[in-house]
Amino acid sequence: VAPPRWSCRVATLAMFLRLAASLCGVASSAVVIDAMKHDIQQIQAGSFDTIIGKFRDDAVSAVWYYKESNAADEKFLDEYQKVAKELKGIVKVCAMDCERFAKFCKDVGVGETPSVMIYPPNPQPSYALQGELTSKRITNVLTKSVPSMVTSLTADNEAAFLTSDPSKPKVILFSNKPKVPFMWRALSAEMVFKRTIKFGFATEEANAELAKKFKVKKFPTIVMQRGGKGEQKEVYSGDINFQAIHNWVNLYSESGMGDKVAGAAGGESGSDEAKPWLIQDIPELTGPSHNDVCFKS
């Protein structure tokens, strides 16, 4: 039988070990967003307007409001990272610690965490996503919030699309599927592209003649037309993903390119009107077309 003195020491050691285990348990329940591992952008109360508020007219954003020591938030981190990874470069997927910025969280109505707020483009109001917070559901909500600036092409509007806004490159996705994909909508709604590039969507079934004109033989194919008369045509040959296509289109979409410029008299230089005769094999001579047909090479 151990002497009372040793029994006391053993009891003290056991209590110490239990306390240490308890402390370790608390420490393990911590949200750690690592910039090297995660695609989630951490924001602070003071940077909210700079990162999200000032872009509400153009961009879709999500903010996960969390508490660093909350076990439920720690568990949610991997789920939210899936959203950030899938929508990287397309939607701002952010997070804010409500233990550090308690007043801001209270002001926006955050109580229990995890809480995900969706910030769609103005004038739509922001709102807290209710119900189960799964990566699939959050991603679905965000993708549906992205507006579309894509023109779905038909025989009736093809010529107008290709010849209006002559300073803007036209980028067409030829697809064998009937619906405009999210990636194409997201590209068309990008803050600079929406002003400087025109995005079109053509299908194998509905736009056979246009596909023939652009010598498209496989689907999907992406083609860019540039120049006042559409004389420059380029087929995209890179990977079919948002970032790769964005980098290619961005070569021709510097800020200001394609924007309307005020002339000396205060009007806008250039014309936005469609000029279908510019892409006709034999241009039709009319009142509006005679200047281009007769006097311009």
Side-chain angles (χ1 to χ4, degrees):
V1 179
R5 183 173 54 184
W6 287 103
S7 298
C8 183
R9 289 181 179 177
V10 170
T12 302
L13 179 60
M15 183 174 67
F16 174 80
L17 291 174
R18 285 196 299 271
L19 178 61
S22 175
L23 290 174
C24 288
V26 171
S28 66
S29 296
V31 177
V32 180
I33 300 175
D34 186 342
M36 299 299 292
K37 291 173 52 180
H38 300 110
D39 300 297
I40 301 165
Q41 182 177 3
Q42 285 187 284
I43 61 174
Q44 302 177 359
S47 63
F48 179 89
D49 285 338
T50 303
I51 296 171
I52 293 178
K54 69 182 292 185
F55 297 106
R56 284 292 309 280
D57 287 340
D58 301 294
V60 177
S61 306
V63 177
W64 163 35
Y65 293 96
Y66 69 93
K67 294 174 184 174
E68 185 178 4
S69 61
N70 184 16
D73 283 300
E74 182 194 21
K75 184 177 179 181
F76 181 65
L77 174 58
D78 289 342
E79 195 72 13
Y80 196 61
Q81 165 60 16
K82 294 176 186 176
V83 180
K85 183 176 181 180
E86 184 168 348
L87 299 181
K88 184 177 181 178
I90 305 175
V91 172
K92 290 182 180 180
V93 180
C94 305
M96 183 185 293
D97 182 2
C98 287
E99 290 180 342
R100 292 184 61 197
F101 306 104
K103 183 179 184 304
F104 185 94
C105 292
K106 182 180 179 181
D107 289 345
V108 298
V110 174
E112 296 296 318
T113 63
S115 176
V116 175
M117 293 277 288
I118 306 297
Y119 296 86
N122 287 327
Q124 300 177 70
S126 60
Y127 61 94
L129 193 59
Q130 302 297 322
E132 190 178 12
L133 297 179
T134 64
S135 59
K136 182 177 180 180
R137 181 165 176 256
I138 298 169
T139 299
N140 187 49
V141 168
L142 290 171
T143 56
K144 285 183 177 180
S145 299
V146 174
S148 176
M149 304 296 173
V150 177
T151 300
S152 292
L153 299 176
T154 67
D156 294 331
N157 68 5
E158 288 172 358
F161 173 82
L162 291 170
T163 62
S164 61
D165 299 312
S167 64
K168 296 182 180 181
K170 284 80 179 175
V171 189
I172 304 172
L173 169 62
F174 289 89
S175 175
N176 54 3
K177 297 181 179 179
K179 292 185 178 181
V180 179
F182 165 67
M183 175 193 70
W184 205 242
R185 286 195 291 115
L187 284 163
S188 76
E190 198 267 353
M191 190 166 57
V192 175
F193 291 176
K194 67 190 293 185
R195 296 185 293 105
T196 61
I197 302 286
K198 294 182 70 174
F199 285 82
F201 179 74
T203 65
E204 183 178 13
E205 182 178 349
N207 306 95
E209 288 301 315
L210 187 64
K212 184 178 179 181
K213 178 182 180 65
F214 281 92
K215 300 179 181 179
V216 173
K217 297 181 180 179
K218 66 177 184 177
F219 301 84
T221 291
I222 299 172
V223 179
M224 180 185 290
Q225 173 184 289
R226 303 188 301 275
K229 296 183 178 181
E231 64 274 15
Q232 301 175 58
K233 294 178 175 63
E234 182 178 346
V235 177
Y236 175 69
S237 59
D239 295 334
I240 303 296
N241 63 61
F242 178 89
Q243 195 58 57
I245 298 171
H246 183 282
N247 292 342
W248 176 64
V249 173
N250 196 48
L251 296 173
Y252 308 98
S253 64
E254 294 180 6
S255 182
M257 182 183 292
D259 290 345
K260 296 176 182 178
V261 180
E268 292 174 348
S269 64
S271 173
D272 293 336
E273 295 181 1
K275 298 183 178 182
W277 55 86
L278 292 178
I279 60 171
Q280 294 170 347
D281 294 332
I282 302 177
E284 182 181 1
L285 184 60
T286 64
S289 72
H290 80 279
N291 189 50
D292 289 314
V293 174
C294 299
F295 301 108
K296 293 183 179 180
S297 56

